[in-house]
Amino acid sequence: MAKCSVCGRPAVYVNPVNGKAYCRVHFIEYFEKKVKKTIRKYEMLGEREHIIVAVSGGKDSMALLHFLRKLSRKIPGWRITAVLVDEGISGYREKTIRNLAKYAEENGVEYRVASFKEYIGATLDEIVEKGRSRGLPYLPCSYCGVFRRYVLNKAARELGGTVIATAHNMDDVVQTFIMNLASNSVDKIYRLTPVTGNGEGGFIRRVKPFYMVLEKESALYALLNNLVEPEYVQCPYAHYNIRFTIRRMINELEDKYPGVKYGLVNSLLSLTRDRQPSSTRGYICEICGEPSSHRVCRACLYRFETGLMSD
Ligand code: SF4
Ligand code: ZN
């Protein structure tokens, strides 16, 4: 069994790239240092912030909430509120909501559940059904992604948040990078930076503190802090998403050639260093009044096409 490179105790993690091993205590130290360094390097958070932590109740976002709550004890100007967007996917979301509620109550964390039903007028299940019956070409994840962003931004603004922190880790980022390349959505690549938006025009600044963390590292951090839900449930729409195939392929590559994920994320950072997305989000949606990159926002367009909104 590998021994911790720092203290010689049995290791719980070996860094596949440089071979360094860590015991429980030193892994947590390594992980937290790495995240703090990312926050500093990309100037993600100031001394006075109301941080809205986007949580799903799953392991990654619970790890982020736990980490930020721990760090906030040293930063008196921080306030933290967890926001969970409930898409309304039957049999899937209920368990993670319970997981968040339990953690929040035990640890005195403020939280809010913002649902599609409340903000959009229908659950994702209902929206998918309406789209199907009208023969619309969209996949469930397309509605889900657009509406989730919309609901999160609106709920965060209502709560007076100054910044939204999401738990996207390096695996998520490189998967999206490859997905965008595959679909020729080059402009979206420029939005995959560690920080997006500057808080102007109603879009709250978004930061990704786990940007340089591997998925297995954030999973282990969650496990070592007892944050993992007892039973993992996958979204029933997941198999429609190209992400899951890309994820498997990148993981296979990483197993054979450790360091591939770091290579991809560093390429992404080089590509995006001096460039901004070409479409500036300068509009206020003519229908709902929310910030948008077009005159009518994508959420309103979907609502219109699915019949949730009539003209
Ligand atoms: Fe939404 Fe798709 Fe993720 Fe399910 S798999 S939660 S539908 S984005
Ligand atoms: Zn709109």
Side-chain angles (χ1 to χ4, degrees):
M1 186 193 252
K3 295 251 177 11
C4 176
S5 310
V6 185
C7 71
R9 273 183 291 207
V12 293
Y13 181 69
V14 180
N15 183 326
V17 180
N18 61 18
K20 274 197 173 174
Y22 299 97
C23 68
R24 182 184 183 280
V25 171
H26 289 111
F27 172 78
I28 291 178
E29 193 182 281
Y30 152 82
F31 181 93
E32 292 182 346
K33 253 194 199 158
K34 190 159 146 174
V35 181
K36 281 187 216 162
K37 195 174 152 198
T38 309
I39 292 175
R40 262 199 317 273
K41 182 169 178 189
Y42 296 102
E43 298 173 346
M44 291 184 173
L45 300 166
E47 283 186 5
R48 297 194 64 78
E49 299 277 12
H50 181 179
I51 307 168
I52 303 296
V53 185
V55 294
S56 66
K59 59 182 169 37
D60 292 315
S61 57
M62 293 308 288
L64 178 64
L65 180 60
H66 184 80
F67 168 82
L68 287 173
R69 198 182 63 85
K70 192 168 166 188
L71 192 59
S72 73
R73 289 196 208 118
K74 293 188 199 136
I75 310 175
W78 279 12
R79 176 175 167 197
I80 290 185
T81 306
V83 172
L84 185 147
V85 177
D86 177 7
E87 305 90 345
I89 304 172
S90 138
Y92 169 63
R93 200 34 96 211
E94 295 89 343
K95 286 194 178 106
T96 59
I97 294 179
R98 276 203 298 276
N99 202 32
L100 167 66
K102 184 167 167 277
Y103 178 88
E105 274 146 29
E106 282 171 8
N107 294 281
V109 176
E110 288 179 67
Y111 76 100
R112 156 112 167 81
V113 176
S115 68
F116 276 21
K117 190 85 187 171
E118 175 189 354
Y119 282 82
I120 309 293
T123 64
L124 183 65
D125 288 341
E126 289 164 352
I127 296 165
V128 169
E129 202 36 57
K130 282 178 194 290
R132 276 188 189 143
S133 68
R134 290 179 165 229
L136 300 180
Y138 311 117
L139 294 173
C141 302
S142 306
Y143 301 115
C144 188
V146 166
F147 288 135
R148 197 157 17 144
R149 248 187 121 70
Y150 181 90
V151 171
L152 181 60
N153 193 66
K154 197 167 176 183
R157 227 185 36 239
E158 287 168 359
L159 287 162
T162 55
V163 59
I164 296 174
T166 63
H168 293 106
N169 55 44
M170 195 191 293
D171 291 59
D172 298 320
V173 171
V174 298
Q175 285 157 21
T176 313
F177 179 35
I178 302 291
M179 282 164 67
N180 290 336
L181 285 175
S183 61
N184 190 23
S185 308
V186 175
D187 204 56
K188 288 191 188 157
I189 289 169
Y190 298 103
R191 296 184 195 142
L192 280 175
T193 43
V195 178
T196 47
N198 54 9
E200 281 170 14
F203 274 119
I204 298 184
R205 187 164 49 93
R206 284 176 179 243
V207 298
K208 305 180 186 78
F210 285 177
Y211 200 87
M212 296 308 288
V213 158
L214 293 167
E215 186 177 88
K216 62 177 169 189
E217 293 177 333
S218 72
L220 182 58
Y221 183 77
L223 184 76
L224 296 177
N225 286 292
N226 300 319
L227 300 170
V228 182
E229 47 183 353
E231 188 193 343
Y232 173 72
V233 213
Q234 193 178 53
C235 171
Y237 300 120
H239 62 280
Y240 291 107
N241 198 330
I242 186 176
R243 176 182 297 279
F244 295 86
T245 312
I246 287 178
R247 176 174 189 257
R248 203 185 53 236
M249 287 167 63
I250 298 176
N251 282 342
E252 271 174 36
L253 272 174
E254 180 72 31
D255 279 347
K256 275 197 189 158
Y257 311 103
V260 159
K261 291 176 187 174
Y262 282 96
L264 283 167
V265 85
N266 286 324
S267 298
L268 172 62
L269 285 167
S270 304
L271 275 173
T272 52
R273 192 162 295 139
D274 302 314
R275 281 210 41 186
Q276 292 295 316
S278 60
S279 64
T280 46
R281 294 163 149 177
Y283 296 98
I284 293 293
C285 172
E286 287 174 4
I287 297 173
C288 69
E290 282 299 299
S292 168
S293 46
H294 303 281
R295 288 173 60 191
V296 172
C297 77
R298 189 103 202 128
C300 280
L301 233 123
Y302 277 159
R303 273 190 291 208
F304 183 71
E305 287 187 273
T306 51
L308 282 168
M309 183 169 59
S310 47
D311 51 3

